[in-house]
């Protein structure tokens, strides 16, 4: 299956509706921070985070 022609917006929309996926929306100018082990990311929105555990 070739998904290279499917837009990123469509892929995010599809994935966010599935079990095992949590969609986290950060509004414009809202700060967020992600820490995983030694990696730290700090920025501000807008951003959509998909937490996938399936």
């Amino acid at each position: 299956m070739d998904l290279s022609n499917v837009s990123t917006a469509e892929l995010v929309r599809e994935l966010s509706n599935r079990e095992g996926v949590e969609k986290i929306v950060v509004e414009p100018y809202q700060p967020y921070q992600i820490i995983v082990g030694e990696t730290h990311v700090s920025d501000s929105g807008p951003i959509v985070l998909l937490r996938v555990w399936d």
Side-chain angles (χ1 to χ4, degrees):
M1 176 184 305
D2 182 15
L3 299 175
S4 62
N5 292 324
V6 179
S7 73
T8 302
E10 290 178 70
L11 292 170
V12 169
R13 194 170 20 258
E14 174 62 31
L15 285 172
S16 66
N17 290 323
R18 294 190 178 207
E19 264 187 63
V21 178
E22 176 185 7
K23 179 180 177 182
I24 303 164
V25 177
V26 180
E27 298 299 332
Y29 307 107
Q30 182 181 8
Y32 69 91
Q33 184 176 37
I34 303 168
I35 302 170
V36 180
E38 298 295 319
T39 303
H40 296 251
V41 177
S42 296
D43 207 343
S44 61
I47 188 170
V48 175
L49 300 170
L50 295 179
R51 180 176 170 231
V52 180
W53 60 88
D54 185 24

